[in-house]
Amino acid sequence: MVISLGSSRRRKRGEMLFRFESFCQPGYPAPLAGGGAFRDNVRALLGLSHLEAGGAHGETKCWSFQLELHRHPPTVVRLFVVEEVVDASPQRQCHLCRHVGWGRHLICSKRFHFVLPKRELSVEADGLHYGINHGPEKPSKGTATSRGHLLHGVVHLNGFGHLVALHGFEGGSEFVAGHQIMDLWDRICSSLNVRKVSLVDTARKGHMELRLLHGVAYGDTWFGRWGYRFGRPSYGVALPSYQQSLHALQSVPLCLLVPHLSCFSQDLPVVVTKCQAISGHKLLNLGDLLRFMLELRTRLPATSVTAMDYRGIMSEASCRWSAKRVDMAARAVVDALRLTEPPARWVTRQEVRDAARAYIGDTGLLDFVLKSLGNHIVGNYVVRRAMNPVTKVLEYCLEDVSSVLPAVGGVPSNGGGGKMRVRFQLTRAQLMRDLTHLYHHVLKEPSQALTTGAFGAIPAAARMVLDTKHFVKDYHEGFAPINSVGVGHVHMNLCCTLLVRNGSPELVAPYETVTLPAHATVGELKWEVQRLFREMYLGLRTFTAESVAGIGASQDACPVLGLIDVGSAVVIEGTVVEQHQQQLADEGVQPGNEAVAVVSEGDGDSERVVDCACGADDDDGERMACCDICEAWQHTRCAGIKDTDDAPHVFVCNRCDNDVLSFLPLSC
């Protein structure tokens, strides 16, 4: 689905600018109700945005926020929020809900898409693509991926959502890393009081699957840093099997692994030995090794870099100060840069000079050091210097290289006093090549020596970890829904749900927070709950509230305060009119021509029987094929069909195939 936007010049006029790194932190850009529902908080947040499209009743609406990245030079990106009216959507049901196990959830009337496009100019020209794929492809291959969005998340009106796509530098981002985008998404969900968010983990770093690499290194997926945990089984891999597989891979002892690696590769034992030498502690198993390599990567320079010892500036003809005074001034500059917030940011020359003046009174000495320092090593830091292309002002930045200096304790002394160049022993690119080599030969495609004996469990354990893709974060974990009712309060919040007397078993709505005046009556409570659930869910548009469980029907005029116990759940009983009957009454549809109403995300799956050899008994989002004889679905991979091959037009499962072969031949 596509929504057309106007020109950027017209849109940007009068818009507010928000900080990317702090957007949706508590109180910014506006205080939101901590216990408020998502439906209310998202409206409050959108009140600060710029309306891009829509506005008329029934039209798809789109808003945007301008977010400024703190980088060199500053960059502005645009976050779009699209309100999708589900009743007008070509696909009412959400396949992501069905795949993660939320098939019994009622279909909400609206979905909100949060989109951070890769290129804003293409969005202006071609429109914003915000739909999620409902075809046979995997969720990770959906519209957001094909359209190149850096971020695409969707949240249903009831607060359940999905992270559809996330792409950092590996996915083509030019300005912002994947962890920064993930931080933004997590802040948005937390501030808006989202209930649960699911994702399909297909994140990669080069040719390495992060769910396997990070799983072995940290015992959790890369998304576990933000609280995402095992969501549901895929290919029949349950939580205990997943955890046991991770533990088995983490515990592979290096003392046994290294001799086997030397049988088919001379490079891998060198990699292990190199990491053991750099590490300050003993690396005992595969988990320790991978964790150390991943943590070391963040402290290494990106490419092979040559820097000079700062003491070489003392030999310059313009230097008229002693070595001790130059050393004090250089370290004062480093201390001024090291104390900047946030760390490692670019600071203008004037800011550095003002901070260092507190320790160095000689302005001539300070100006000489600032003029001379640039790509020089001072202690355990490299002082970088560059001109801001926008402001044309010199700026300075520190790079910590303590872990990769060729000599312990910093740069070796230079007896000659001349300019000495120092080349780092290890770079990030070299470490990533070593890490990829280790991942490929030990985890992804282990050699024959690593598939037998003590290492025989490695291939099966790695396969189970890779098969586990569904992860969920519960933003309400540990917070029980309670009612806020008390004397002296202007409003009260009640935790309410419905009991539909004449409805199908699928008509089970989650608890919703209903806000009422403190003096509200039971009748007003029933009316507000009826209005709220009618607006939220398509299957409850004809719901009529009749009574409150535990309260007599004759007490509608009585105040709620005093009749509802604090902390108890409020159940509103009522009935619904079937959708096809309502159409018949409102539109004159002839009996027999009406369609069966679809009220839940998984409606229609009850007739689909999943019976796979891996143990799966439900649709987990992986590719399946239906047997043309027994009509049972099973994974194509479990049936021996490679993922790269097309599914056959005629498919017979192994059980039916064996039954056919067991038939006795007919004798004439």
Side-chain angles (χ1 to χ4, degrees):
M1 292 177 285
V2 186
I3 184 170
S4 299
L5 306 176
S7 66
S8 60
R9 179 173 299 181
R10 177 178 60 83
R11 290 202 317 269
K12 292 180 181 178
R13 186 178 303 154
E15 278 191 75
M16 290 187 290
L17 191 65
F18 304 98
R19 298 188 301 274
F20 184 97
E21 289 79 6
S22 56
F23 184 74
C24 278
Q25 283 185 348
Y28 181 81
L32 300 175
F38 166 78
R39 62 181 183 275
D40 299 323
N41 288 336
V42 72
R43 293 297 180 194
L45 180 64
L46 292 177
L48 303 173
S49 64
H50 178 80
L51 182 63
E52 297 279 353
H57 180 70
E59 287 186 354
T60 301
K61 297 180 182 178
C62 178
W63 299 265
S64 70
F65 296 89
Q66 281 195 120
L67 307 180
E68 183 183 31
L69 283 163
H70 185 88
R71 62 185 303 272
H72 182 76
T75 304
V76 176
V77 296
R78 190 175 294 273
L79 174 68
F80 294 93
V81 183
V82 180
E83 180 187 69
E84 178 188 1
V85 181
V86 177
D87 203 19
S89 173
Q91 290 287 346
R92 292 189 178 186
Q93 291 175 289
C94 174
H95 75 289
L96 298 176
C97 284
R98 185 172 68 251
H99 292 165
V100 79
W102 299 344
R104 289 178 63 86
H105 287 198
L106 296 180
I107 300 176
C108 291
S109 59
K110 292 178 181 179
R111 305 184 189 116
F112 289 87
H113 298 259
F114 297 82
V115 179
L116 192 67
K118 184 182 300 184
R119 295 179 180 86
E120 187 178 335
L121 292 179
S122 62
V123 170
E124 296 175 2
D126 304 329
L128 180 67
H129 295 259
Y130 64 91
I132 55 177
N133 174 51
H134 287 79
E137 297 86 5
K138 298 179 182 180
S140 60
K141 303 294 184 182
T143 304
T145 301
S146 60
R147 298 297 177 182
H149 294 325
L150 300 181
L151 169 68
H152 183 190
V154 56
V155 183
H156 301 278
L157 191 58
N158 61 359
F160 290 87
H162 315 278
L163 179 57
V164 183
L166 183 141
H167 294 120
F169 293 132
E170 292 281 333
S173 173
E174 298 176 355
F175 308 116
V176 58
H179 68 88
Q180 293 176 294
I181 302 175
M182 194 63 201
D183 286 339
L184 172 65
W185 170 247
D186 192 56
R187 292 195 305 269
I188 291 174
C189 294
S190 297
S191 64
L192 297 182
N193 203 18
V194 170
R195 290 179 171 180
K196 291 184 179 181
V197 175
S198 76
L199 60 85
V200 179
D201 186 0
T202 56
R204 302 172 68 92
K205 174 68 70 174
H207 297 289
M208 298 179 290
E209 288 86 353
L210 285 185
R211 63 186 181 280
L212 178 57
L213 181 63
H214 271 257
V216 179
Y218 299 100
D220 206 350
T221 174
W222 181 75
F223 295 97
R225 297 162 55 184
W226 294 273
Y228 285 83
R229 299 292 179 259
F230 181 91
R232 68 159 304 168
S234 295
Y235 290 109
V237 180
L239 178 59
S241 300
Y242 171 68
Q243 293 174 333
Q244 292 170 7
S245 299
L246 286 178
H247 179 71
L249 294 173
Q250 285 180 305
S251 305
V252 175
L254 292 181
C255 60
L256 299 178
L257 181 62
V258 173
H260 284 77
L261 296 178
S262 60
C263 296
F264 60 89
S265 174
Q266 298 297 323
D267 297 329
L268 291 179
V270 175
V271 171
V272 178
T273 304
K274 185 192 305 181
C275 291
Q276 288 279 19
I278 299 175
S279 173
H281 58 278
K282 188 70 172 178
L283 304 178
L284 299 177
N285 52 47
L286 184 60
D288 292 341
L289 176 62
L290 294 181
R291 182 166 58 254
F292 171 75
M293 296 179 75
L294 288 174
E295 292 174 354
L296 178 62
R297 174 186 170 272
T298 60
R299 305 196 300 269
L300 293 176
T303 58
S304 180
V305 179
T306 301
M308 293 183 294
D309 181 5
Y310 80 101
R311 284 166 287 198
I313 67 177
M314 302 174 190
S315 62
E316 296 183 6
S318 57
C319 180
R320 52 186 174 86
W321 295 270
S322 66
K324 183 178 180 180
R325 296 189 65 190
V326 172
D327 180 76
M328 291 179 58
R331 295 187 181 277
V333 170
V334 169
D335 289 340
L337 291 171
R338 190 164 49 85
L339 297 177
T340 58
E341 290 293 338
R345 74 179 180 93
W346 288 89
V347 184
T348 65
R349 179 186 182 279
Q350 189 62 45
E351 290 179 279
V352 179
R353 189 177 188 273
D354 292 342
R357 277 292 306 277
Y359 307 96
I360 305 297
D362 190 339
T363 57
L365 170 61
L366 199 55
D367 290 337
F368 167 76
V369 171
L370 287 173
K371 180 190 72 172
S372 303
L373 284 182
N375 203 29
H376 286 79
I377 297 178
V378 182
N380 291 327
Y381 298 93
V382 174
V383 180
R384 304 292 185 193
R385 183 180 66 188
M387 179 175 288
N388 189 316
V390 177
T391 61
K392 307 300 182 183
V393 173
L394 277 178
E395 294 184 348
Y396 294 81
C397 180
L398 281 186
E399 182 177 341
D400 187 353
V401 292
S402 56
S403 60
V404 292
L405 288 175
V408 177
V411 179
S413 60
N414 182 12
K419 297 181 180 180
M420 184 190 68
R421 291 187 174 273
V422 177
R423 182 171 294 278
F424 297 112
Q425 291 180 322
L426 184 65
T427 65
R428 190 183 308 169
Q430 292 169 343
L431 181 68
M432 287 305 298
R433 285 196 296 267
D434 294 341
L435 186 59
T436 303
H437 199 50
L438 186 67
Y439 172 90
H440 180 77
H441 288 286
V442 176
L443 296 176
K444 186 65 174 178
E445 296 180 6
S447 66
Q448 186 65 29
L450 294 179
T451 58
T452 57
F455 305 107
I458 290 181
R463 184 72 265 168
M464 287 187 178
V465 174
L466 288 174
D467 285 343
T468 304
K469 301 176 184 177
H470 293 282
F471 295 89
V472 175
K473 178 173 182 179
D474 186 355
Y475 284 87
H476 289 185
E477 186 176 9
F479 297 94
I482 61 174
N483 294 331
S484 174
V485 184
V487 179
H489 289 189
V490 178
H491 293 87
M492 57 181 173
N493 294 325
L494 300 178
C495 190
C496 304
T497 188
L498 304 183
L499 176 61
V500 183
R501 296 194 182 101
N502 66 334
S504 62
E506 288 78 16
L507 284 176
V508 180
Y511 285 92
E512 299 291 344
T513 301
V514 178
T515 302
L516 293 170
H519 58 271
T521 63
V522 173
E524 291 171 337
L525 169 63
K526 288 162 48 179
W527 182 89
E528 180 62 20
V529 171
Q530 173 181 297
R531 181 197 65 80
L532 174 63
F533 281 84
R534 279 186 172 188
E535 291 180 356
M536 286 193 64
Y537 299 104
L538 295 183
L540 297 175
R541 287 182 295 186
T542 60
F543 173 76
T544 301
E546 297 174 347
S547 62
V548 180
I551 299 177
S554 60
Q555 295 181 290
D556 281 2
C558 298
V560 173
L561 194 61
L563 295 177
I564 302 295
D565 295 331
V566 176
S568 63
V570 181
V571 180
I572 308 297
E573 301 175 347
T575 58
V576 295
V577 179
E578 294 294 337
Q579 296 292 334
H580 64 278
Q581 295 179 2
Q582 187 69 23
Q583 284 185 346
L584 187 64
D586 296 345
E587 303 175 8
V589 179
Q590 295 298 322
N593 294 334
E594 62 274 7
V596 178
V598 176
V599 297
S600 68
E601 303 290 2
D603 264 354
D605 285 351
S606 58
E607 301 177 357
R608 182 175 182 175
V609 178
V610 177
D611 185 14
C612 189
C614 67
D617 57 2
D618 196 6
D619 184 6
D620 56 9
E622 303 296 339
R623 191 177 69 162
M624 291 187 173
C626 180
C627 176
D628 290 300
I629 296 179
C630 67
E631 297 185 349
W633 291 79
Q634 62 178 269
H635 296 117
T636 54
R637 195 188 79 182
C638 298
I641 304 172
K642 296 181 180 180
D643 292 336
T644 55
D645 297 339
D646 295 332
H649 296 290
V650 178
F651 173 71
V652 179
C653 66
N654 291 333
R655 183 184 304 169
C656 293
D657 192 28
N658 293 332
D659 292 342
V660 171
L661 293 177
S662 65
F663 289 161
L664 295 175
L666 297 176
S667 57
C668 299

